[in-house]
Amino acid sequence: MSRKDVFIESIKTLKLENASKDFFPQTGRWVSSCFYQPMDYEMANLPCHLRDNRWLSKMFQKQEQLEEFDITEIYEFICNSDIFQHQRHAYELRIVSWQIDFMLKHGEGWLVDDKYGGDFYMFYPTCDLAFRKGIVDTLKAIGIDYEVIEEGIEKNSSLWQDRYMQLAFYNQFNSELPEAILEDKEYFSKWMQLRKYNYYQQHKEAVDKYGNITPEMQLSDEDVVGLKIYLGQKQDEIKAYIQRHGTNQLTYKYIF
């Protein structure tokens, strides 16, 4: 290849790289039609074709007005360009972040597993499990890469994890229980410790790669046994209270 050809190729590559930086939206918002993964070359359909390089090539060409490039050139650029892949990855993470924010604000239309309460998940002591699984199931359904979903969930765990674990704790029983139980800080603290430990056991790979490993997640076997004994005793106290008062304040099965 002559120097002139090398120079021309460099200019073309630079143009494609610059176009890559403008191509992906700055918001991760997506629309419900993505569940059907329509093939039309419209930016609204971009979130559901992010790992389809052939579809992306045509969308990229159309959106950035790159008609002077052969579609094969664009395809090869998308497959091999670190810059394009970096921009795509950043956009995928914006989608995950947007989805989490949307769900935190009680947006509708996302997938909720029936075994965690379905549409009534907010009232179940598994609401934290429902929330996380809902992010995964919903974004997988529109075609987002699973590994990126896991990365986004863990990088944004501070936004949702404590909030929904706390809700899960209080969803074990209703407000008719005495304040001595509902506001027992030691009970709540130990319950949260074990909840986070169990979370880490279930999602260890993702947390290790992308998340924040907290002391609760690294409890010793002896500590875990001690927590389970303590929480089991608390459960017995709650059951005894219910029996004494002849009411049914324990709304859902006690889970820790």
Side-chain angles (χ1 to χ4, degrees), residues 91-183:
Y91 176 55
E92 289 173 323
L93 288 177
R94 288 197 293 274
I95 291 174
V96 181
S97 179
W98 181 89
Q99 182 65 30
I100 292 171
D101 183 65
F102 177 77
M103 290 166 59
L104 287 172
K105 293 176 179 175
H106 308 297
E108 298 179 346
W110 54 278
L111 304 180
V112 191
D113 196 319
D114 287 340
K115 74 177 181 180
Y116 294 136
D119 291 341
F120 301 99
Y121 81 98
M122 283 282 288
F123 304 101
Y124 277 66
T126 53
C127 62
D128 55 330
L129 310 182
F131 189 88
R132 192 189 195 282
K133 190 170 188 297
I135 301 167
V136 174
D137 290 349
T138 301
L139 294 181
K140 279 181 64 179
I142 70 167
I144 302 300
D145 180 72
Y146 173 73
E147 187 68 20
V148 176
I149 299 171
E150 289 289 307
E151 180 181 356
I153 287 173
E154 294 307 325
K155 286 184 173 178
N156 290 284
S157 63
S158 62
L159 301 179
W160 67 270
Q161 191 177 76
D162 280 0
R163 173 175 171 177
Y164 271 86
M165 284 186 177
Q166 289 171 15
L167 181 60
F169 173 81
Y170 288 109
N171 279 349
Q172 296 173 102
F173 32 70
N174 66 29
S175 58
E176 294 177 26
L177 285 173
E179 290 185 4
I181 294 175
L182 290 174
E183 298 183 5

Side-chain angles (χ1 to χ4, degrees), residues 14 21 42 130-131 144-145 173 194 209 231 251:
L14 181 61
K21 298 172 184 177
E42 303 293 341
F131 189 88
I144 302 300
D145 180 72
F173 32 70
L194 192 57
K209 284 183 180 179
L231 293 170
T251 309

Side-chain angles (χ1 to χ4, degrees), residues 59-76:
M59 187 69 249
F60 186 41
Q61 183 185 53
K62 175 186 175 182
Q63 181 67 16
E64 297 303 315
Q65 300 178 354
L66 300 169
E67 288 78 7
E68 73 268 32
F69 290 88
D70 183 82
I71 198 66
T72 301
E73 290 181 289
I74 296 176
Y75 175 76
E76 290 177 355

Side-chain angles (χ1 to χ4, degrees), residues 233-249:
Q233 292 172 342
K234 277 295 179 179
Q235 180 183 15
D236 291 340
E237 289 178 21
I238 293 171
K239 287 182 177 179
Y241 174 86
I242 291 170
Q243 290 173 355
R244 286 197 305 272
H245 292 269
T247 57
N248 185 29
Q249 281 97 344

Side-chain angles (χ1 to χ4, degrees), residues 204-244:
K204 185 178 186 302
E205 183 177 352
V207 176
D208 285 347
K209 284 183 180 179
Y210 311 115
N212 179 31
I213 301 174
T214 64
E216 298 94 334
M217 295 176 178
Q218 298 180 305
L219 296 172
S220 67
D221 292 343
E222 183 179 357
D223 288 336
V224 172
V225 170
L227 284 174
K228 288 182 177 180
I229 292 173
Y230 172 86
L231 293 170
Q233 292 172 342
K234 277 295 179 179
Q235 180 183 15
D236 291 340
E237 289 178 21
I238 293 171
K239 287 182 177 179
Y241 174 86
I242 291 170
Q243 290 173 355
R244 286 197 305 272

